[in-house]
Structures are given as structure tokens and as C-alpha cells.
Amino acid sequence: MTERTIPDEAVAAVHRAFRSEYGRTVAILMRTFGDLDAAEDAVQDAFTIAADSWPTQGVPPNPQAWIVTTARNRAIDRIRRAQTEERYAPQLVQDPTVARPGVAETDGTVDDELRMILLCAHPSLTPESQVALTLRYVGGLTAAEIARAFGSSEATTAQRLARAKRKIRDARIGLPEPERLHDRLGVVLAVVYAIYNEGYVTTAGPLSRFDLSQEGVRLARLVAVHSKGELEAKGLLALLLLLQARRPARIADDGALIPLPEQDRAKWDRALIAQGQALVRECLAANRPGPYQVQAAIQAAHCDAARDEDTDWRQVLALYDLLLPLLPTDAVRTARIVALAHVEGAKAALAELDPGSDDQYVLAVRADLLAQLGRAAEARALFHRAAATASNAAEQAHLLRRASELA
């Protein structure tokens, strides 16, 4: 092993620990102090010390315990410097996790992470703040990484995080107990889905970010396991697994988008598909459909087909008919029209599209239907309009390619 390898491995270990332990350690300290800012300051100190010491002294046998213990000790130091040890320090100094380096409370790992998810998904916060906080404290992303994910500046993201933390502090919002998951399940599922979607099609930059979409899958698993059989939690996990399974065939080597009909289905991850379809079957057996369950069933139908032409579009259309009253959004209406085109033809589908919409996906679907009807000039113009509204470069390039094919 070279002298360079050891520091490199230590730096990598610090990065791994930051991603996996940052939010959980903040949650542990917040339970002690009841103050998110104080907890985060201490945890940041601990990671700064780790970045300085691990490359020279080696990675500790239990990085998780080392980070928690160091952060708690730094918190005590901060309290003492503020001359408030009479109020806090005695109970902390007597805590065995402080007195014995390398020992930390690890039994509540999942509960602490779940508490942090529930805190980040507090209903008093805006949806944007909920997602940003979850990525920060559960996903371990920095403000710069969150900013890149959403195509905003680091300063704007830092301000959003600061406002959300101030609201938590001013409203005296504490760490919720894991049992509150049932009460906030809808919000939590929406936050997890938003994180996955941002990874699936990024607001800016490359077509997708595997780290964000994978984090969405991980959080969906965590919530499904602890939601005590909630069908919508199972449905969301199934949906994300089935979407993630197709990722290897969705992105070309040059980063270009490969639409579903053109994908090499041999590249799909069959293990993920099997997991997702098993969850869909459990949901169908319960016969209490919800939006995530039905969306998962639609993706399962697509994954059933060995070729695009084998897709059971009548089943897909029936599922969209079931989904629309549950989730009456423009995206669902547009996706249903795509299924309708496969069942009843492009002319019938075109009649149901809003001709005045400037939505990127509505424009793209309208353009595709016009192309099927032989109206190439109109279709080409609409593909250009759709590309002009696309924020993702890969989607924009795909739409311009479709337009050029009609030239």
C-alpha cells in the first residue's frame, strides 16, 4: 500500500461517514439539546476533526461511534465556553458515550433517522424546504450539492435551509417520535417521491443523478418498513423500484435520453422488477387503491412486456382511468392520453389534449400525435416549442432530435 493510498482511503471514509451519519448524529444531539443549530455546529466540528485526523491517525474501527462521541464532546466544549454548563453539562459529562471514546448509542440508528425524516417533513414547512432539509439531514448532501440538484445558486439554497431551520427553532419544533409516521405519512411520501424525481430527471445538468434517485429508493424502503403495512408506502417503494430498474437502459453512453419504446430491455434490472412487482401484487390483493399503488401497477404493466409492442395498453389505459380521479394532475391526464392513442388511435387522443397548453410534456405529446397523423410541419414546430421550455439539457436534445427527424 503506498503512502498516498492511506490518506485517500481516509478521505473517502470521511465522505462515506458524512453521507451516512450526518443527519443521524444531528438527530442524536438534537434529542439532547433540543436545538438544531447547536447540534449541527457540533457535528460539523466532528467532521472537521475527522478530515484532519483520519488521514494521519487512521480511520477508527467504528467511524459511526467516533463521529457521535466527538460531536457530543464538542457540544460540551461549546456549552462550557458559553458558560452554561450548570444547565446542560452535568448530565452529558456523566453519559458513558462521552466518557468512553468509541462507544456511542447505535441501537436507535433507524429511529433517529426516521425522527429526522419526520422533522424535515413537518407540515409547517414549504414543500421545497421539506425536500432541501431531507437531502441535507437525511441524505447528507451539502448546500452546494442540493443547489446543483435543483439548478439554483448555493446562496439561495443556504438561505432556504436557514429559513427552514429558523422556523423550526422559533416554533420550538422538536424531534417527533417514530410513531408519528402514520400522521405525516402523506407528506413524507411526497418528499421522498420529490427527491427521487429530481434524481430521475434533474432540473439542471445531466439527465439524471443516480445518487439522488438511489437515495429516494433507500428512503422509500425505510418508510415502507416502518409504516406498519401502509399500502401507499408499499406502492411508492414499488413505483420507485420499477422505475429504477429501467435506468440502465434509459441513458445512453453519451448521456442522451433513450425513451421507453427504444430501450434495450435486456438491460433492465430484473431483480428490482421482481421486488417491485411482488409489492404491486400485495397492494392489488388488499384492493384499496391509492395514487402510488396505481402508478406502480402502471409501471409493472410496462415491465411485463418483453417488447414495446407487447405492452397491454388497454390495461394501462384502464389503470390511468382509475388513477385520474385519485390524482387529477396535468401529468396524469397527459400520460393517459398517450395510452389512449395506443388503444383508439392518434386522432382520438389528439381531440382530448388541451390545444392551448404550453406545458413541455403536453407539447411533446401533441407533436408526436401530429407526426403520427402525417402533419410533420406542425409536429416539428411543436417539438421546437417543447424543447424551448425544457430545463433539462438531455430532454431538450431529445426533443430537437425528434424535430430534425421530421425535417
Side-chain angles (χ1 to χ4, degrees):
M1 182 178 291
T2 65
E3 291 183 0
R4 179 174 175 76
T5 303
I6 296 174
D8 284 350
E9 289 179 351
V11 170
V14 172
H15 284 295
R16 286 195 300 271
F18 186 87
R19 281 290 170 92
S20 63
E21 300 305 320
Y22 187 89
R24 191 184 74 85
T25 310
V26 170
I28 290 172
L29 267 65
M30 189 177 173
R31 278 198 285 121
T32 303
F33 299 110
D35 187 315
L36 181 57
D37 287 325
E40 185 169 25
D41 288 343
V43 174
Q44 288 176 345
D45 284 351
F47 277 102
T48 299
I49 296 169
D52 290 338
S53 64
W54 290 9
T56 57
Q57 299 176 20
V59 179
N62 188 339
Q64 177 192 74
W66 191 99
I67 290 293
V68 174
T69 298
T70 303
R72 289 172 69 109
N73 287 335
R74 291 297 294 176
I76 293 172
D77 291 342
R78 284 175 175 271
I79 291 169
R80 284 174 175 155
R81 284 198 300 271
Q83 296 183 336
T84 57
E85 64 270 30
E86 300 87 0
R87 185 174 177 187
Y88 294 106
Q91 73 178 69
L92 292 173
V93 173
Q94 294 168 13
D95 191 306
T97 65
V98 176
R100 293 180 287 138
V103 179
E105 33 179 311
T106 57
D107 293 342
T109 299
V110 174
D111 281 353
D112 284 318
E113 189 167 33
L114 198 55
R115 287 186 179 97
M116 186 56 76
I117 292 172
L118 291 170
L119 175 67
C120 296
H122 195 278
S124 68
L125 301 171
T126 66
E128 295 81 8
S129 295
Q130 291 168 344
V131 171
L133 284 174
T134 303
L135 288 173
R136 176 69 174 135
Y137 294 115
V138 183
L141 271 66
T142 64
E145 289 172 322
I146 298 170
R148 283 198 300 272
F150 289 93
S152 60
S153 69
E154 184 175 351
T156 299
T157 299
Q159 290 171 1
R160 175 174 290 159
L161 290 167
R163 285 194 300 270
K165 287 162 59 179
R166 189 162 55 247
K167 187 161 192 174
I168 289 171
R169 183 187 64 240
D170 293 347
R172 299 182 181 277
I173 300 170
L175 276 177
E177 289 302 311
E179 291 73 22
R180 295 296 304 276
L181 177 60
H182 179 77
D183 300 336
R184 295 185 190 169
L185 185 62
V187 176
V188 170
L189 295 179
V191 169
V192 172
Y193 193 29
I195 290 171
Y196 182 85
N197 275 334
E198 184 56 36
Y200 191 71
V201 180
T202 61
T203 302
L207 175 62
S208 69
R209 281 188 54 176
F210 179 75
D211 57 339
L212 283 184
S213 58
Q214 194 65 13
E215 180 65 8
V217 173
R218 186 185 73 83
L219 294 177
R221 284 190 191 277
L222 178 69
V223 173
V225 167
H226 289 85
S227 64
K228 299 179 180 178
E230 286 284 350
L231 292 173
E232 279 295 84
K234 286 184 180 182
L236 177 61
L237 176 57
L239 172 62
L240 302 194
L241 289 170
L242 293 167
L243 290 172
Q244 194 74 342
R246 300 204 299 261
R247 187 183 185 280
R250 182 172 169 262
I251 304 172
D253 292 339
D254 61 358
L257 168 66
I258 303 176
L260 181 59
E262 300 172 20
Q263 288 176 14
D264 179 359
R265 300 186 179 215
K267 294 182 178 180
W268 289 359
D269 188 325
R270 292 295 162 183
L272 290 184
I273 289 175
Q275 293 176 42
Q277 289 180 327
L279 288 168
V280 169
R281 286 193 292 270
E282 289 181 27
C283 292
L284 290 174
N287 196 28
R288 285 186 282 126
Y292 293 118
Q293 297 172 68
V294 180
Q295 289 177 82
I298 290 169
Q299 297 307 321
H302 283 299
C303 291
D304 277 339
R307 302 172 302 166
D308 183 63
E309 53 266 36
D310 296 331
T311 304
D312 186 346
W313 284 104
R314 291 189 181 279
Q315 180 190 23
V316 172
L317 179 59
L319 287 168
Y320 273 117
D321 286 338
L322 177 62
L323 177 61
L324 192 55
L326 300 172
L327 192 65
T329 65
D330 289 341
V332 172
R333 290 188 187 93
T334 304
R336 179 192 170 278
I337 287 170
V338 172
L340 180 66
H342 282 85
V343 175
E344 297 185 12
K347 187 175 181 180
L350 189 61
E352 294 203 16
L353 266 181
D354 177 6
S357 175
D358 285 325
D359 177 81
Q360 170 193 334
Y361 298 107
V362 174
L363 290 171
V365 169
R366 187 172 183 82
D368 186 64
L369 295 175
L370 288 170
Q372 291 179 43
L373 293 171
R375 296 159 64 176
E378 295 171 79
R380 189 165 60 250
L382 284 175
F383 275 129
H384 279 290
R385 279 180 60 191
T389 66
S391 60
N392 183 279
E395 287 193 318
Q396 185 179 64
H398 171 70
L399 293 166
L400 291 175
R401 178 174 66 82
R402 291 296 311 277
S404 68
E405 290 170 350
L406 294 170

